[in-house]
Amino acid sequence: MSLKEDQQEESGARWIAGLLAAPHRFGAFASAVVFFFLYVLVAELSYAFVIPPSSNAVFWLPSGITFSAFVRARRLPQIWPFWLSALFLGQLAVVFRHGVPPFTGITWAVANVLLPVTGGVLSRRFVRGPFNFRSLPDVLTFGALVALSVIPGGVVAGIGSVAGLNTPWISSAISWAASDALGIVLLAPVILSWTTRRSRSAGGLTEAAVLFSSLTMSSFLILLYPRSATLDRLLSFLFFFVAWAAIRFGPRGTSVALLVVDLTQVWAISGGYGPLAGPDVGEGARILNLQILVANVGLLMLLLAAAIEEQRTARMTAESALKSRDEFLSIASHELRTPLTSLAMHVQMFNRLALQGRLSDLSMEKMAELGRISERQLLRFSSLIDELLEVSRIGSGRFTLHREELDLYQLVRNAISRYRLDADSSRSVIRLHGDAGVIGHWDRSRMELVLAQLAGNALKYGAGRPVDITVEQDGGKARLTVMDHGLGISPEYRARIFERFARAESITRFGGLGLGLFIVRRIVEAHGGSIEVESEIGKGSCFKIELPLDAGRAERLGDAA
Amino acid sequence: MTTVEYPILVVEDDDGIRQLMQLFLEIEGYRVITATNGQEGLEALSTAPDKCLILLDLMMPVMNGWEFVDALQTTRHADAPVVVVTAYADQVGDIRCNGVLGKPIELDALLETVRKWCGSRNGT
């Protein structure tokens, strides 16, 4: 997926691109300053989670922030140096404030730099599409990314701990990596799911208010209230609310619900309250209990949310496909009825005049005109049927090309002369440019259809201005360009115009099945070629097709539809 | 044959339907002016004399039928009779018009409507 498409989905990435676009990198510097203070603040908060005997926080929350930031900025590495310097300095400030020996402090700062860099590099390589926890692959990728990203930092930090604090290397490294991982598991889903385009959740605002107030109250009651065996038994009850969030509020709701429960848990065990921190439970075991619980339940609930989200998306897609099919049927019948209407009028008129013995009222000129009109309507009718048949062939995978040697220029010239009549009625002129003798192996009738669609669209939306068609040869490729100077296509429709049933203009203004460009794209792709469009509102549109001269590529479209 | 005073304005974007309506109405003795969209229809109204009837398609480029009727209210032709000719008779809505003809067009019904507003021609 290209940077542009990612950014459309990921509001976070769009925002970062905006920072980089500001003059003199002002945005990048400013964000680095904010990053520094945010890092120090959250790190200080995390120090509250250091529960002896461990020297590490239960959750190192800053890692959640840095990891998420770098995953979002995975395609914008220009901003990495700014943020890395900020977090390096932030980490140094924090460790020295807490009296960590210099060498250890520096290795810890390096470890904290390594984590987001590893996350950023890995996500750049392995993350596809918007990373928003709305699909199972997203959650699984996330799990794998976290597990891998914490390793280098853990190793380096472990060395620092051995040198400065004389703690065993392996246990330091593991507890460092675990607290990084939990910080990410806790915070990254919140940040990453809230920095992509919103999907409408099943639950409404009132339901969200009820859910989150009940969740907060129950968490406080069960986890923070002075110990009682009855309340302890209710621990699992909290996950009812998290599951509720997963089912009704998607990844966004789930990640926030988990944050509420988990932070309350930490608060509880650091004060010795709650089911996980009874007097019978040792200090180390408390932390382990909590870490295992958070990791397991957190990932489980995120998986649940993703599974439900996938199902909802699939259902919504199916519903909207059904809706556009219904719309299409109504449009298609109208489109078919239009040429039939004039043909029927023709016949009715003849019958009336014959019945009234007035056929002589029709002069020879009028007769000839009638014939011309009706012939064109018949042509139009049969080309609509062709269009429908073509789409059904594409849809069922029975789409085979019949290649023969063709001169594209010649083909275009012949087709234009056939369409001259249409050009006259829309008062546009078609101008043909380029090189004669662009010879290749293509499907003649398919190429005629492509040209008819593109030229037809250019005339239809060309606002009466001339249409320029160019045929050129460029190495092993033929290039066909169809340019109009009419309405143009707005950016939000440009991405969709090659889809089935898509139309940029309202049906109340322009007729047509909404299938033309869909068919064009499929035909071009079946020939191993490509199509792109440039357009500006009010200035016109330019469709550019490139076709390999030789049959090299896929002949069949397979599951293309 | 009665002398024709006011022409009929046909506003229709489909070439075939527009040309056939014109041909038919001319054979029946009416004078017909055509326009391919609402904008052209308004221009035709501003230059020529009054029209006895406006036959109006709804779905057209540039200016559709609904917009045409709205714009018509601001001209001196505000009270010209308008008959909507549409395939979507159920979607006409509360457009201000003096009648609706469905597509496919029945020539008898069309002629009846035209006679109602423009009088009889051709002695038939």
Side-chain angles (χ1 to χ4, degrees), chain B residues 38-78:
Chain B
Q39 186 67 49
E40 282 185 14
L42 286 179
E43 282 160 21
L45 282 173
S46 65
T47 53
D50 287 352
K51 307 290 178 288
C52 64
L53 175 64
I54 298 170
L55 290 169
L56 179 69
D57 182 24
L58 287 181
M59 301 197 176
M60 293 179 292
V62 187
M63 179 188 276
N64 64 32
W66 292 278
E67 293 164 338
F68 173 81
V69 169
D70 285 343
L72 190 67
Q73 304 310 308
T74 63
T75 69
R76 65 188 176 85
H77 300 282

Side-chain angles (χ1 to χ4, degrees), chain A residues 330-331 334 337-339 341-346 348-349 352-353 356 358 361-362 366 369-370 373-374 376-377 380 422 425-427 507-511, chain B residues 13-17 19-21 23-24 26-28 36 40 58-64 66-67 87-88 103-108 110-111 115 122 124:
Chain A
S330 123
I331 289 168
H334 178 249
R337 199 148 71 169
T338 308
T341 296
S342 32
L343 288 169
M345 283 168 81
H346 183 160
Q348 274 188 61
M349 199 152 96
R352 273 181 69 92
L353 293 175
Q356 296 169 355
R358 291 170 52 208
D361 283 9
L362 270 176
K366 297 248 185 226
E369 196 187 336
L370 260 176
I373 297 171
S374 292
R376 270 185 47 205
Q377 298 308 315
R380 196 169 136 201
D422 270 341
S425 82
S426 61
R427 292 171 199 79
I507 184 69
T508 64
R509 294 180 185 283
F510 289 94
Chain B
D13 66 321
D14 185 78
D15 294 349
I17 295 175
Q19 290 164 350
L20 272 157
M21 278 171 88
L23 210 65
F24 172 70
E26 281 174 359
I27 288 173
E28 294 299 330
T36 64
E40 282 185 14
L58 287 181
M59 301 197 176
M60 293 179 292
V62 187
M63 179 188 276
N64 64 32
W66 292 278
E67 293 164 338
Y88 297 98
K103 280 181 187 170
I105 299 167
E106 288 295 330
L107 292 184
D108 289 330
L110 175 64
L111 197 59
R115 278 184 183 146
N122 246 5
T124 52

Side-chain angles (χ1 to χ4, degrees), chain A residues 312-376:
Chain A
R312 256 168 57 84
T313 314
R315 204 179 54 226
M316 273 153 61
T317 314
E319 275 168 10
S320 89
L322 213 61
K323 194 165 154 261
S324 53
R325 201 192 59 186
D326 289 347
E327 266 168 27
F328 168 72
L329 283 176
S330 123
I331 289 168
S333 34
H334 178 249
E335 283 299 304
L336 288 169
R337 199 148 71 169
T338 308
L340 268 187
T341 296
S342 32
L343 288 169
M345 283 168 81
H346 183 160
V347 175
Q348 274 188 61
M349 199 152 96
F350 254 86
N351 288 346
R352 273 181 69 92
L353 293 175
L355 264 172
Q356 296 169 355
R358 291 170 52 208
L359 274 175
S360 56
D361 283 9
L362 270 176
S363 62
M364 286 309 263
E365 293 83 60
K366 297 248 185 226
M367 291 267 248
E369 196 187 336
L370 260 176
R372 266 201 311 276
I373 297 171
S374 292
E375 192 187 0
R376 270 185 47 205

Side-chain angles (χ1 to χ4, degrees), chain A residues 65-79:
Chain A
I65 295 176
T66 58
F67 177 87
S68 316
F70 278 69
V71 168
R72 271 292 166 261
R74 66 187 179 281
R75 292 184 198 286
L76 298 159
Q78 303 94 309
I79 201 139

Side-chain angles (χ1 to χ4, degrees), chain A residues 250-410:
Chain A
R252 287 187 170 191
T254 313
S255 55
V256 173
L258 284 168
L259 192 69
V260 172
V261 175
D262 292 341
L263 288 182
T264 323
Q265 302 257 28
V266 180
W267 189 358
I269 65 161
S270 61
Y273 301 116
L276 295 180
D280 46 335
V281 182
E283 296 284 355
R286 282 183 194 178
I287 295 165
L288 205 61
N289 280 350
L290 178 62
Q291 289 186 333
I292 290 168
L293 190 78
V294 166
N296 278 340
V297 175
L299 287 176
L300 200 68
M301 290 297 168
L302 286 171
L303 277 172
L304 177 64
I308 285 167
E309 199 73 7
E310 272 187 350
Q311 218 182 25
R312 256 168 57 84
T313 314
R315 204 179 54 226
M316 273 153 61
T317 314
E319 275 168 10
S320 89
L322 213 61
K323 194 165 154 261
S324 53
R325 201 192 59 186
D326 289 347
E327 266 168 27
F328 168 72
L329 283 176
S330 123
I331 289 168
S333 34
H334 178 249
E335 283 299 304
L336 288 169
R337 199 148 71 169
T338 308
L340 268 187
T341 296
S342 32
L343 288 169
M345 283 168 81
H346 183 160
V347 175
Q348 274 188 61
M349 199 152 96
F350 254 86
N351 288 346
R352 273 181 69 92
L353 293 175
L355 264 172
Q356 296 169 355
R358 291 170 52 208
L359 274 175
S360 56
D361 283 9
L362 270 176
S363 62
M364 286 309 263
E365 293 83 60
K366 297 248 185 226
M367 291 267 248
E369 196 187 336
L370 260 176
R372 266 201 311 276
I373 297 171
S374 292
E375 192 187 0
R376 270 185 47 205
Q377 298 308 315
L378 272 173
L379 265 177
R380 196 169 136 201
F381 193 75
S382 73
S383 76
L384 282 168
I385 301 283
D386 285 347
E387 218 178 295
L388 288 170
L389 282 176
E390 194 77 342
V391 169
S392 109
R393 267 186 230 117
I394 293 172
S396 60
R398 286 179 288 110
F399 183 89
T400 325
L401 293 181
H402 305 286
R403 291 184 191 253
E404 57 183 296
E405 193 172 279
L406 294 177
D407 179 350
L408 190 60
Y409 187 84
Q410 204 63 40

